[in-house]
Amino acid sequence: MRVPWQVNSDEEKAEFIRVLKRRWKAFWHDKKECDMRGKLSGPQMVDIGLRWDIAFGEVTGVFDFFNDEDRSHYGISTGTKLCLVPPQKLVQETNAFDGMFQGVRHDGKGRPVSYRFDTSLDGAIVKQDYAAFDADGRSLVMHIFDPMDATDVRGISKLAPAFRKHIQAEMLDDATLQMALLQTIFAITLTSETPSADAYEALEVLKEQGGDGIEYGKEYLGYLSGSLDAAADSRISVGADPQVSHLGPGQELGFKTANIPGRDYLPFSDNLSREMARTIGVTFGGFTGNYEKATYASVRMENSSLWPVVTRRRERVAAPICQMAYENWLDEEIGEGRIPFKGGYRAFRPNRSRVCLAGWQGPPKPTADDHKSARASTERLRNGTSSVAIETGDLGVDADALFEERQREHQRYVDAGMQSPYAPKDAPVVVPQVTK
């Protein structure tokens, strides 16, 4: 049984995919075409969405459609537009009688019907409801979050588990800095043989005893008076213009080194940073810039342990942003005839969900040693446990685009009578003919 939209041959299918990818790339990277405000490209909106997911635990936005007059005014060709709205604009109102839970109204089956946002109208903040879908089932509101429970209707910040550790790290840094400053300020000491208050009290006792004690006290006080007069002429100044002149008799100027931070500071600080890095979804070295004890094995293990976190956020946050925009865009492209589709929009509409299925690739997986990673990839392909699509996906490369590029370049070398770098190893060497 053939579905109405099925193409007749692999060539037609490949051509449809090529046209679709080319037009989507042009749309998604053009700020004026994809963003309602005309300020952000698609990749920039994905970056903002990922940051919102870390900070707020969710990504929100609304879709708009520009009519012919709007397109002509802004000099654009498409009507589908995405406008990112900060998640804090989605209100936290709850009214169980009306089906409203934390700003999201649900129907009897628990499916979202509308979203209530704080919007600005003539300088005043008003609450406005936006329908989740239009009459044809197209998404009008983007609300993406990774739920922790089956009944969750809103997301939670990824930083929530790290808040306590962040506060502890700030307290540790502040206390360490204050102690270091105090020790630096008071690290200059003046040691003097000048008697303390106890010595003066002893002299008073000698004077009260009379006799030789009185004479001894007078002589010592005379000596002390002469020492103090000499010290009065000297100067010790610690500041922007430090000065040290002649010290008094028996005085010694010493400098002390700060004992802060201690030996336990770095292990404790590194442990706090490691927990915060794990929460954010980055490596400890990438978070702190400290690769002092990193080895190939440790870096590889660190990347391997964090890669599931990265792919999870890619699949549940980044990919849905692209997918929702892509579905509305493709609906418009086929509906207005810019992308040819067998059977037209009438055949596309009942099969929209099947036609709009897409896979989204992200940046390449980081490696600690590119040579070892390449050898491992070759071995997986050789023993049949992987495929070109899987391996190129880890590199952030589209397998179809890579094949077409290699095929095009190979044919270019062959047509020029040159040895192609893509020719099989056992292929005969082509000797270029030199024309006189």
Side-chain angles (χ1 to χ4, degrees):
M1 177 179 179
R2 279 182 54 192
V3 294
W5 56 272
Q6 186 175 5
V7 293
N8 292 331
S9 64
D10 291 339
E11 290 76 10
E12 291 180 338
K13 182 189 299 184
E15 179 62 23
F16 174 76
I17 294 175
R18 278 194 294 268
V19 173
L20 191 151
K21 286 183 177 180
R22 185 171 61 251
R23 292 193 60 84
W24 165 253
K25 186 176 182 179
F27 167 82
W28 195 233
H29 287 79
D30 191 336
K31 300 178 181 180
K32 295 188 297 182
E33 293 287 351
C34 64
D35 182 25
M36 191 191 76
R37 303 183 182 95
K39 299 179 179 179
L40 303 172
S41 65
Q44 287 177 315
M45 288 192 282
V46 174
D47 289 342
I48 292 174
L50 289 171
R51 288 194 288 268
W52 281 356
D53 176 64
I54 294 176
F56 304 104
E58 53 190 355
V59 185
T60 52
V62 295
F63 286 96
D64 197 0
F65 190 83
F66 284 13
N67 55 29
D68 293 338
E69 183 179 353
D70 292 332
R71 300 184 209 179
S72 177
H73 174 72
Y74 292 108
I76 56 179
S77 59
T78 59
T80 300
K81 299 292 176 285
L82 172 61
C83 179
L84 292 181
V85 180
Q88 61 266 32
K89 297 292 185 180
L90 185 59
V91 302
Q92 289 285 351
E93 296 180 1
T94 297
N95 185 354
F97 179 78
D98 195 30
M100 176 74 71
F101 296 95
Q102 296 181 324
V104 184
R105 179 176 284 108
H106 299 76
D107 61 12
K109 301 293 185 181
R111 300 196 173 197
V113 176
S114 64
Y115 296 82
R116 182 168 296 174
F117 288 94
D118 283 332
T119 59
S120 178
L121 181 62
D122 297 331
I125 302 299
V126 297
K127 294 179 174 59
Q128 183 174 351
D129 291 346
Y130 291 83
F133 306 95
D134 64 7
D136 293 327
R138 289 180 289 260
S139 298
L140 296 179
V141 175
M142 173 184 292
H143 184 215
I144 300 169
F145 66 97
D146 192 1
M148 297 295 176
D149 187 77
T151 58
D152 286 350
V153 297
R154 297 287 298 270
I156 186 172
S157 172
K158 300 294 188 300
L159 297 177
F163 282 152
R164 179 175 175 81
K165 298 299 179 182
H166 177 67
I167 294 173
Q168 290 177 342
E170 281 194 339
M171 293 174 62
L172 174 64
D173 290 341
D174 289 343
T176 303
L177 178 60
Q178 291 174 10
M179 290 297 298
L181 290 175
L182 288 174
Q183 287 192 5
T184 301
I185 294 173
F186 294 102
I188 303 175
T189 61
L190 180 64
T191 304
S192 175
E193 296 179 357
T194 302
S196 62
D198 294 336
Y200 284 104
E201 293 178 359
L203 291 175
E204 292 296 331
V205 173
L206 290 175
K207 291 169 61 177
E208 292 176 358
Q209 292 178 354
D212 295 337
I214 297 175
E215 297 299 327
Y216 177 77
K218 290 180 178 180
E219 292 179 0
Y220 186 80
L221 288 175
Y223 166 76
L224 182 60
S225 176
S227 298
L228 293 176
D229 290 339
D233 296 332
S234 65
R235 181 180 182 186
I236 300 177
S237 174
V238 180
D241 186 19
Q243 296 180 6
V244 179
S245 59
H246 179 71
L247 300 178
Q251 293 180 340
E252 180 182 356
L253 189 65
F255 296 89
K256 306 295 182 180
T257 58
N259 297 322
I260 294 296
R263 63 180 181 179
D264 296 330
Y265 170 79
L266 286 179
F268 185 60
S269 177
D270 289 347
N271 183 62
L272 295 176
S273 299
R274 188 171 287 107
E275 294 190 29
M276 287 189 289
R278 181 70 181 189
T279 301
I280 297 174
V282 298
T283 63
F284 170 76
F287 181 73
T288 61
N290 181 9
Y291 297 92
E292 181 180 0
K293 298 180 180 180
T295 62
Y296 171 78
S298 66
V299 172
R300 183 176 177 84
M301 181 58 66
E302 195 173 35
N303 289 336
S304 299
S305 63
L306 283 176
W307 190 244
V309 179
V310 175
T311 55
R312 177 190 178 104
R313 293 180 182 176
R314 177 186 298 176
E315 294 174 357
R316 304 192 184 188
V317 181
I321 297 175
C322 300
Q323 182 66 30
M324 294 181 70
Y326 167 75
E327 290 177 1
N328 288 352
W329 167 83
L330 183 58
D331 187 284
E332 177 194 346
E333 290 288 292
I334 295 178
E336 297 191 0
R338 289 190 289 270
I339 293 182
F341 189 83
K342 183 163 290 187
Y345 188 77
R346 184 177 180 181
F348 167 78
R349 182 175 178 180
N351 298 282
R352 181 189 293 115
S353 59
R354 301 171 63 185
V355 180
C356 290
L357 286 176
W360 301 96
Q361 293 178 332
K365 180 180 179 180
T367 62
D369 189 318
D370 291 341
H371 179 64
K372 293 181 179 179
S373 299
R375 287 195 302 174
S377 176
T378 302
E379 185 63 27
R380 287 192 295 268
L381 289 173
R382 185 176 300 168
N383 60 29
T385 58
S386 185
S387 67
V388 174
I390 295 175
E391 299 301 327
T392 55
D394 286 342
L395 297 176
V397 178
D398 182 12
D400 294 335
L402 176 63
F403 173 80
E404 293 176 2
E405 182 178 353
R406 288 170 59 94
Q407 185 183 46
R408 182 173 59 255
E409 292 185 358
H410 171 71
Q411 191 61 41
R412 181 182 179 184
Y413 278 98
V414 172
D415 294 341
M418 301 172 62
Q419 183 67 29
S420 171
Y422 307 112
K425 293 183 179 180
D426 54 352
V429 177
V430 177
V431 179
Q433 296 181 359
V434 180
T435 58
K436 296 183 180 179

